[in-house]
Amino acid sequence: MIKETTTLKQIAESLNVSISTVSRALNDHVDISDVTKNRVIEEAKRLQYVPNILAKGFRNHKTNIIGVIVPSVTHYFTSTILKGILLESEKTRYTTIISETNNNPDKEKEVLQTMLQFGVEGILMSLSKQTKEVSPMLQALKKRPLVLFDKVSSKIPCTQIVINEVSAAFDAVEHLVNMGKRRIAIIKEEKDSYNSEKRFEGYLEALKKNNLEIDNSLILSTDDSSIKEGKRLTRQLICLKEKPDAIFCITDSLAIGVIKTLKKVAIKIPSEIAVVGFSNSSHSTIIEPNITTVNQPGNRIGKLALQQLVKEIESEEEYLTSKFIEINTNLIIRESTFTG
Amino acid sequence: MIKETTTLKQIAESLNVSISTVSRALNDHVDISDVTKNRVIEEAKRLQYVPNILAKGFRNHKTNIIGVIVPSVTHYFTSTILKGILLESEKTRYTTIISETNNNPDKEKEVLQTMLQFGVEGILMSLSKQTKEVSPMLQALKKRPLVLFDKVSSKIPCTQIVINEVSAAFDAVEHLVNMGKRRIAIIKEEKDSYNSEKRFEGYLEALKKNNLEIDNSLILSTDDSSIKEGKRLTRQLICLKEKPDAIFCITDSLAIGVIKTLKKVAIKIPSEIAVVGFSNSSHSTIIEPNITTVNQPGNRIGKLALQQLVKEIESEEEYLTSKFIEINTNLIIRESTFTG
DNA sequence: CTGAAAGCGCTTACAG
DNA sequence: CTGAAAGCGCTTACAG
């Protein structure tokens, strides 16, 4: 279906002025008299003129498009970041296009290339879980500014928006210690993802500071931070001779699996085993007991990521160092660790 | 940060051929010899040529952009539809841009205009909850094809992708009847939203078919289908002299509120009061008991909506009738109505 | 205060 | 098989 559109030329002809004048009038150029401006604006309205952004962008060498690449839009935390990005982008002249990688590095590479080809002026990106090879991102970085958020990598020399992973995990574990827990297990990721690594670091620091010994039987890993894996690993933990009295999960999904299994075997939460999650996903207040978890302000992360990218797009300098911007989180204490 | 880019001209100069030839070679035009094609392709690769999509689109009078407008990306069902749209769009030459309205009609109007201004070739849209005035959509429809999904309105003469609301609700209620329930309450929306209205219709049909009388004290409405409202209205229902033995909620959020409250007052689910939700949100298996709910295939809805829009964009004819395309749903039976 | 003209990067009808 | 030229809709330096 094709519908015709009004151009500057038509307004000019209808008013017997030049195209230049129309263009200037609509852009509120100082040179144009108010009388002319008003005539042009009126006529533009009458003809329902809508500027051709494509011609405009083409002419001005800018697309005003920012590309956003995430593993999956259905992931709750990701969707809150997207919300922040969308809201913030409205305050700017930029429009965003969003693509998913479904955690597939090949897809990630392809999406990245398509976006560059589409002429995005910069890219906001959360890496796929499987990404080992960062060369597609290094290539992209040669062409356009790139800002990473959430799933980041220090191998890529660009700005990265992250949360204070280490201290967030530290606080969560220390909270368990304050609740009188001494045998604190952790369920983390097998692969050395930035997030998991840092959270593990915070866990170790908290144990150390509180003079608790590191017991390898309490350190479990999975390559799939899902409810299912949470259930499986819990069964493993409760079969230990010396059971843990708390489990720190690096995702809420794992925590949900843990809680479901503990309830099934009638282990009391939090008195026998306390549980902490990570993310403050919408699930964390649905399940009972509600989960004590680390609140990650997705909106703020998205907002900041967009602001930073715009800054880099509009700046003359190159940002080719691995600069980490940390956003603070807070621990939300709920029933899975504390009965008030 | 500005980084320079290779154009057809540079390839042409470097190869001593015309720009036309380069353009044709890269577009695999039959007229060009294989030798020339290969030389051009090689040189393009060497110079890391990336076509300027803006110039291309401008020249060809097409943007290849489809606008997607939804109330909120963090809404789970919406995000599954978005996933379907994004996945399907990759199979086409179209890129999508997504915007939120946050259920604000003013915002909705603004977003619509921005998208048209941006030169989208068509629009996929789920209406905001508050939308009463459909004129912005009618205006848009004059310029570009529009396809509505999920939150639709028969006042807008365009294609609308919906689920079989009536029969889905009918099946859900009849399932309760089959479980031996006789006093089935409904929590629906105050406003006459398309979805709520149809689901209520299905509820009434199921009662009628099963010779159950309509009891107005069992028909509750809210203008906010939230967990909180589910809780509030449940308190109201359990204070009735003749309590319901089942509650059909037109959203999962309401059902969660209902369940939380019933558990708190120790009313047994489903034996005393059974609960049915709607959407199969990710929450429905987190809460215990798991919720019996209507599964809406978001991916398929998104996929179909995109396909339909592309069809309309590429078709010569105008689609200006209110055509409803219904997608089938299925009831997923879980613990909130059935203990097997 | 206004206009003629060039040019952004690409495609394509026309000519050879 | 290849090239010169026009033109998509817009902006802007230059001239008046």
Side-chain angles (χ1 to χ4, degrees):
Chain A
M1 183 170 67
I2 297 157
K3 310 195 174 182
E4 79 300 326
T5 148
T6 310
T7 65
L8 291 188
K9 196 175 165 195
Q10 283 158 54
I11 300 176
E13 280 170 359
S14 141
L15 249 38
N16 260 318
V17 293
S18 73
I19 296 176
S20 328
T21 301
V22 175
S23 170
R24 290 197 185 97
L26 292 174
N27 287 318
D28 204 23
H29 194 287
V30 281
D31 271 359
I32 307 293
S33 70
D34 283 353
V35 186
T36 312
K37 268 183 196 165
N38 284 330
R39 283 182 64 215
V40 170
I41 291 169
E42 277 310 303
E43 190 64 10
K45 201 172 284 173
R46 200 178 67 76
L47 295 174
Q48 295 188 52
Y49 171 73
V50 172
N52 180 329
I53 300 271
L54 228 53
K56 219 165 173 158
F58 168 48
R59 169 60 226 243
N60 296 330
H61 298 287
K62 57 179 60 159
T63 55
N64 290 346
I65 301 176
I66 283 175
V68 183
I69 304 175
V70 294
S72 172
V73 291
T74 51
H75 185 261
Y76 182 73
F77 177 51
T78 301
S79 74
T80 60
I81 295 178
L82 287 180
K83 205 181 200 58
I85 291 173
L86 288 174
L87 269 174
E88 190 64 18
S89 70
E90 277 165 25
K91 296 187 198 154
T92 70
R93 59 180 173 82
Y94 297 93
T95 304
T96 56
I97 62 180
I98 300 170
S99 280
E100 292 190 318
T101 63
N102 290 312
N103 281 313
N104 175 346
D106 293 334
K107 185 69 190 303
E108 187 168 57
K109 186 178 171 182
E110 192 192 311
V111 163
L112 212 43
Q113 284 171 345
T114 308
M115 288 212 168
L116 288 174
Q117 179 159 339
F118 204 79
V120 296
E121 296 192 39
I123 294 172
L124 287 174
M125 181 172 194
S126 180
L127 297 174
S128 108
K129 211 179 289 179
Q130 317 294 337
T131 300
K132 286 285 162 205
E133 185 50 71
V134 298
S135 63
M137 275 60 80
L138 298 181
Q139 283 293 326
L141 196 49
K142 280 191 203 156
K143 306 217 165 216
R144 300 286 170 209
L146 173 68
V147 168
L148 298 176
F149 58 89
D150 191 30
K151 304 283 178 244
V152 303
S153 163
S154 45
K155 290 185 213 152
I156 304 171
C158 67
T159 304
Q160 332 223 353
I161 316 280
V162 294
I163 57 160
N164 55 346
E165 305 276 3
V166 179
S167 64
F170 179 92
D171 290 349
V173 175
E174 187 144 74
H175 161 69
L176 290 170
V177 176
N178 293 340
M179 293 292 106
K181 303 302 185 180
R182 288 293 172 272
R183 288 188 53 73
I184 302 170
I186 182 171
I187 304 184
K188 64 180 189 67
E189 273 167 25
E190 203 115 50
K191 311 260 183 60
D192 54 347
S193 83
Y194 174 86
N195 316 61
S196 174
E197 207 173 82
K198 293 292 171 185
R199 291 172 199 177
F200 184 48
E201 212 174 303
Y203 164 82
L204 293 176
E205 279 182 16
L207 293 193
K208 193 172 166 199
K209 186 192 157 206
N210 290 282
N211 300 313
L212 296 173
E213 77 174 291
I214 296 164
D215 180 342
N216 281 322
S217 70
L218 297 181
I219 298 173
L220 301 188
S221 300
T222 171
D223 54 2
D224 170 30
S225 299
S226 63
I227 296 178
K228 206 170 152 193
E229 280 292 282
K231 289 181 178 173
R232 186 178 68 81
L233 295 168
T234 304
R235 269 177 249 117
Q236 199 170 315
L237 282 169
I238 56 182
C239 288
L240 289 176
K241 252 197 203 130
E242 293 189 86
K243 288 189 189 47
D245 53 16
I247 305 176
F248 170 48
C249 304
I250 66 149
T251 71
D252 278 346
S253 290
L254 288 170
I256 288 166
V258 169
I259 288 175
K260 292 213 170 205
T261 298
L262 293 179
K263 281 169 82 173
K264 187 168 275 173
V265 298
I267 289 181
K268 290 199 197 81
I269 306 170
S271 58
E272 291 179 71
I273 297 185
V275 182
V276 171
F278 210 108
S279 275
N280 193 25
S281 72
S282 63
H283 290 161
S284 58
T285 54
I286 302 297
I287 192 155
E288 293 168 357
N290 290 185
I291 307 175
T292 291
T293 184
V294 174
N295 180 45
Q296 306 180 86
N299 283 295
R300 269 185 52 218
I301 293 172
K303 187 175 161 174
L304 197 73
L306 191 104
Q307 286 172 343
Q308 177 65 26
L309 183 64
V310 167
K311 194 166 129 194
E312 297 189 13
I313 289 171
E314 296 179 353
S315 155
E316 296 300 317
E317 23 167 348
E318 301 239 356
Y319 286 75
L320 290 178
T321 50
S322 210
K323 175 180 151 205
F324 282 76
I325 298 179
E326 278 198 3
I327 303 220
N328 284 328
T329 57
N330 58 304
L331 186 70
I332 298 180
I333 296 169
R334 301 204 184 96
E335 306 152 5
S336 72
T337 62
F338 180 75
T339 41
Chain B
M1 184 170 66
I2 297 156
K3 310 197 175 181
E4 79 300 324
T5 146
T6 310
T7 65
L8 290 188
K9 196 175 166 194
Q10 282 158 55
I11 300 176
E13 278 170 0
S14 141
L15 248 40
N16 259 318
V17 293
S18 74
I19 296 176
S20 329
T21 301
V22 175
S23 170
R24 290 198 185 94
L26 291 174
N27 287 317
D28 204 22
H29 193 288
V30 280
D31 271 0
I32 307 294
S33 70
D34 285 351
V35 186
T36 312
K37 270 184 197 166
N38 284 332
R39 282 181 64 215
V40 170
I41 291 168
E42 278 309 305
E43 190 64 7
K45 199 172 288 172
R46 199 177 69 75
L47 295 174
Q48 295 189 56
Y49 171 73
V50 172
N52 179 330
I53 300 269
L54 226 53
K56 219 166 172 157
F58 168 50
R59 169 60 227 240
N60 297 329
H61 299 285
K62 56 178 63 159
T63 55
N64 290 345
I65 301 178
I66 283 174
V68 183
I69 303 175
V70 295
S72 171
V73 292
T74 51
H75 185 260
Y76 182 74
F77 177 50
T78 301
S79 74
T80 61
I81 296 178
L82 287 179
K83 206 181 196 63
I85 292 173
L86 289 173
L87 269 174
E88 191 64 17
S89 70
E90 277 165 24
K91 297 187 196 152
T92 71
R93 60 181 172 83
Y94 296 93
T95 304
T96 57
I97 62 181
I98 301 170
S99 280
E100 291 190 319
T101 64
N102 290 312
N103 281 313
N104 175 347
D106 293 334
K107 185 71 190 300
E108 188 169 55
K109 186 179 172 182
E110 189 193 311
V111 163
L112 212 42
Q113 284 172 344
T114 309
M115 287 211 169
L116 289 173
Q117 178 160 340
F118 204 80
V120 296
E121 296 193 39
I123 293 173
L124 288 174
M125 182 170 193
S126 180
L127 297 176
S128 107
K129 213 179 286 179
Q130 318 294 340
T131 300
K132 286 286 161 204
E133 186 50 71
V134 298
S135 64
M137 278 58 82
L138 298 180
Q139 283 293 327
L141 196 51
K142 281 191 202 155
K143 306 217 164 216
R144 301 286 170 209
L146 172 68
V147 168
L148 297 177
F149 59 88
D150 191 30
K151 305 284 178 245
V152 304
S153 164
S154 46
K155 292 185 214 153
I156 304 170
C158 67
T159 304
Q160 331 224 356
I161 316 281
V162 293
I163 58 160
N164 56 347
E165 306 275 5
V166 179
S167 64
F170 180 92
D171 290 350
V173 175
E174 186 145 75
H175 160 69
L176 290 169
V177 175
N178 292 340
M179 293 292 106
K181 303 301 184 180
R182 288 294 173 270
R183 289 187 53 72
I184 301 171
I186 181 171
I187 303 183
K188 66 179 187 66
E189 273 166 26
E190 205 115 47
K191 312 261 180 63
D192 54 345
S193 83
Y194 175 87
N195 316 61
S196 174
E197 207 173 83
K198 294 291 173 186
R199 289 172 200 177
F200 184 48
E201 211 175 303
Y203 166 81
L204 292 176
E205 278 184 17
L207 293 192
K208 192 172 167 197
K209 188 191 155 206
N210 291 282
N211 300 313
L212 296 173
E213 78 175 289
I214 296 165
D215 180 343
N216 282 321
S217 71
L218 296 182
I219 299 174
L220 301 188
S221 299
T222 172
D223 56 1
D224 170 31
S225 300
S226 62
I227 295 176
K228 207 171 152 195
E229 279 293 282
K231 288 181 178 172
R232 185 178 69 83
L233 295 168
T234 303
R235 268 177 249 119
Q236 199 170 313
L237 282 170
I238 56 183
C239 289
L240 288 177
K241 252 195 201 132
E242 293 189 86
K243 288 189 189 50
D245 54 15
I247 305 175
F248 170 48
C249 304
I250 66 150
T251 71
D252 279 346
S253 290
L254 288 169
I256 287 166
V258 170
I259 289 175
K260 291 214 171 204
T261 297
L262 293 179
K263 282 169 83 173
K264 188 167 274 176
V265 298
I267 290 181
K268 288 199 199 83
I269 307 170
S271 58
E272 292 180 69
I273 298 184
V275 182
V276 171
F278 209 109
S279 277
N280 193 25
S281 72
S282 64
H283 291 159
S284 58
T285 54
I286 301 297
I287 193 155
E288 293 169 355
N290 289 184
I291 308 175
T292 292
T293 185
V294 174
N295 179 45
Q296 307 181 85
N299 282 295
R300 268 185 52 220
I301 293 173
K303 186 175 162 175
L304 198 72
L306 191 104
Q307 286 172 343
Q308 178 64 26
L309 183 65
V310 167
K311 197 166 126 194
E312 297 188 14
I313 289 171
E314 296 179 352
S315 155
E316 295 301 317
E317 24 168 348
E318 300 239 358
Y319 286 76
L320 291 179
T321 51
S322 209
K323 178 179 151 206
F324 282 76
I325 299 179
E326 279 199 3
I327 303 219
N328 284 328
T329 56
N330 59 304
L331 185 70
I332 300 182
I333 296 168
R334 300 205 182 96
E335 305 152 6
S336 71
T337 62
F338 180 76
T339 41

